[in-house]
Amino acid sequence: MRLIKRAPREQKKGRKVAVIGAGPAGLYAAGWLASEGYTVELIDMLPEPGGLLACGIPDLRMEKVNLREAVGELRGLGVAFRLGTKVGENVELEELIEGHDATLIATGAWQSRKLNVDGEGLAGVYSALEYLVDYTLARHSHDGEPPALSGGIVLVVGGGLSAVDACYVAREAGAAQVVWYYRRGEEQAPAREAEPEAFRLLTEQVDFHPLTQPVSFIGAGGKLTAVKAVRMRLGSKDASGRPRPIPIEGSEFERRIDYALVAAGEIATAPPGAVECGIEVADETALRTKGVVITNEVTIPVESSESGGPLQYVSIPRERAVRAKGSTSPRAAIKVDGRYRTTRRGVFAAGNVIDGPTQAGFAIVEGVMAAVAIKDYLETDQWPAEPYGGVYEWQELLFG
Amino acid sequence: MPQQTETRTVIVDLERCMACRSCETACAKAHAGYEDIVEAILADAHMVPRVKVIAAAGVAVPIQCQHCEDAPCATVCPSGALSFDEETGEVRSEPARCIGCKACVIVCPFGAVEWSRRTGEIVRCDLCEDLIEEGEEPYCVRACPTGARQVIDLDALAQRKRQEAAQRTVLVMTAKP
Ligand SMILES: Cc1cc2nc3c(=O)[nH]c(=O)nc-3n(C[C@H](O)[C@H](O)[C@H](O)COP(=O)(O)OP(=O)(O)OC[C@H]3O[C@@H](n4cnc5c(N)ncnc54)[C@H](O)[C@@H]3O)c2cc1C
């Protein structure tokens, strides 16, 4: 992992870029821009840079040493970090946009979906993402303790990779028993689709119940004590192309649990105030029907001269999909064009905040692509009203 | 300058390659831990070749990791599964560290990195480092029936080329008009 170019420019260009969100998209963008001589300020609400890469993916699945080293190099190049700073709370978005020549929004997908069942507000019911992040931050010796799961019966709800991580971490945190409910069949679980072998192994180690869904959480004195759940059967295909889970009447049952980690998916999160700043945010239904955005042509930027003159763009047939995985339902996904421009002049967006949850690779590549677009904008001062089509394709020379 | 301590690599003589794909098969079964292809298939072994013979303009070209200088895959890999070895100039892989983010797959200019759903890890030519270190030939080289694939020592190759160039120069200089 390397965030900065091999031969970064020593000289500063005297132009300032704000990067909001220090996840992979923001970090790679910051590194690329700083290497080009821009003055970069990275703002993040967490006490540690790295986004979900650092605090979402559990340490037991990924060592964070490489990430820390790369971030160290970034600091060495003069990138300023404003950590523990939430945009929309501790500082206004408008203020950042006004105070910089360009702004990149890379705030990811942090809003967890709810099950929308009774008792979801009881103490002991957490969103898996929230729990995983708190757990890892505490492991990294930051303030705040995650709730102790040790000795308890922990219910994990969901079928994706976050549910898998919630199971792993619940076990690591000392849960006496991990129970796992997923509303569709095993064959439909996205986690199985992604990594069948790991999925199989895990289902053997925990008490896994496909075709099971909580209908309410039951508590005593405000504290979770049990779950009421129902068995499901599969019906005809729904909007996602998978068989729809239908509750089986009369199959409700109760089970004693101490904690619940709900992993029902995440939604893209634009910083508060984005809309007021003239940044258009897509509404959920529009994106859901549009589905995956893949164009047949991609535009690659080519440096016109060694001295770094304005970039030229060449269209080539799309071979590898940079954004192969589109967003299915990012409620607050920021709308961008083919060069990661939002609807506000000088403001760009990249990563999960435009795509909804994806694997980190897409965020990484988009971060660099957005950085290239920002450089182009700052050099040409052009902001055409007409949106650019296509998306950039990665070019190895970008990191030369 | 980092010192080059390991300069052996695999080269392919395209004129000798007849696109038989023996290299692909040998690579796939060996990395799956089998000697016999039938046995491997019967055992439903996970067989992924690290080298692929691709037809382009009527010529067969075996494509595999090129160990790019300043490799994009190692630059983007956030987990340390792919890294650049400054000493040997090689791209190293530790598949067990892979988090499946696929950044390497997107950026590799040669399509030489794949991601295996079955293992959740990246698949890429590692030049059979262990074999080369022991002075043995990688599986693909051993399997090549025409000798198109060879392990060469880059220093020795450069030396040989210098010799040939010198010879040509002498020939030109001494040639009668
Ligand atoms: C549990 C879990 C496991 C995962 N496992 C994998 C895996 O194995 N492999 C893989 O490839 N991907 C995995 N992912 C996905 C991967 O982590 C993401 O795709 C990637 O981190 C997205 O990058 P990003 O930069 O767009 O956003 P993020 O990484 O989410 O970074 C966004 C940053 O913005 C900050 N932020 C948000 N709002 C504000 C605000 N208003 N003000 C200031 N800062 C703000 C956040 O604090 C965060 O640091 C996993 C995700 C989760 C949740």
Side-chain angles (χ1 to χ4, degrees), chain A residues 18-19 35-36 73 88 142 146 183 201 208 239 259 265 286 296 312 331 334 368 391 393:
Chain A
V19 177
S35 305
E36 287 287 330
E73 281 182 5
H142 294 291
R183 65 195 176 123
L201 277 175
F208 179 53
Y259 304 96
N296 290 323
Q312 293 178 349
R331 194 188 331 258
I334 292 181
V368 178
V391 290
E393 175 81 351

Side-chain angles (χ1 to χ4, degrees), chain B residues 78-98:
Chain B
S79 69
L82 288 168
S83 58
F84 192 73
D85 188 326
E86 299 277 352
E87 279 201 357
T88 66
E90 271 173 36
V91 174
R92 297 200 157 261
S93 37
E94 283 178 69
R97 296 177 72 167
C98 179

Side-chain angles (χ1 to χ4, degrees), chain A residues 147-190:
Chain A
L149 303 183
S150 68
I153 302 174
V154 180
L155 171 71
V156 173
V157 184
L161 288 168
S162 295
V164 168
D165 278 338
C167 288
Y168 287 142
V169 165
R171 282 156 54 96
E172 190 186 64
Q177 194 186 9
V178 177
V179 185
W180 182 8
Y181 289 173
Y182 173 50
R183 65 195 176 123
R184 297 180 208 254
E186 195 175 324
E187 283 71 34
Q188 285 85 40

Side-chain angles (χ1 to χ4, degrees), chain A residues 21-25 44-46 51-53 56-57 61 85-87 106-108 110 129 132 162 165 271-272 351-352 358-360 363, chain B residues 99-101:
Chain A
D44 202 294
M45 61 184 181
L46 296 182
L52 289 179
L53 209 52
I57 303 180
R61 265 206 309 112
T85 308
K86 182 162 183 186
V87 176
T107 44
W110 280 68
L129 180 74
L132 288 170
S162 295
D165 278 338
N352 283 184
T358 65
Q359 244 119 17
Chain B
I99 56 159
C101 87

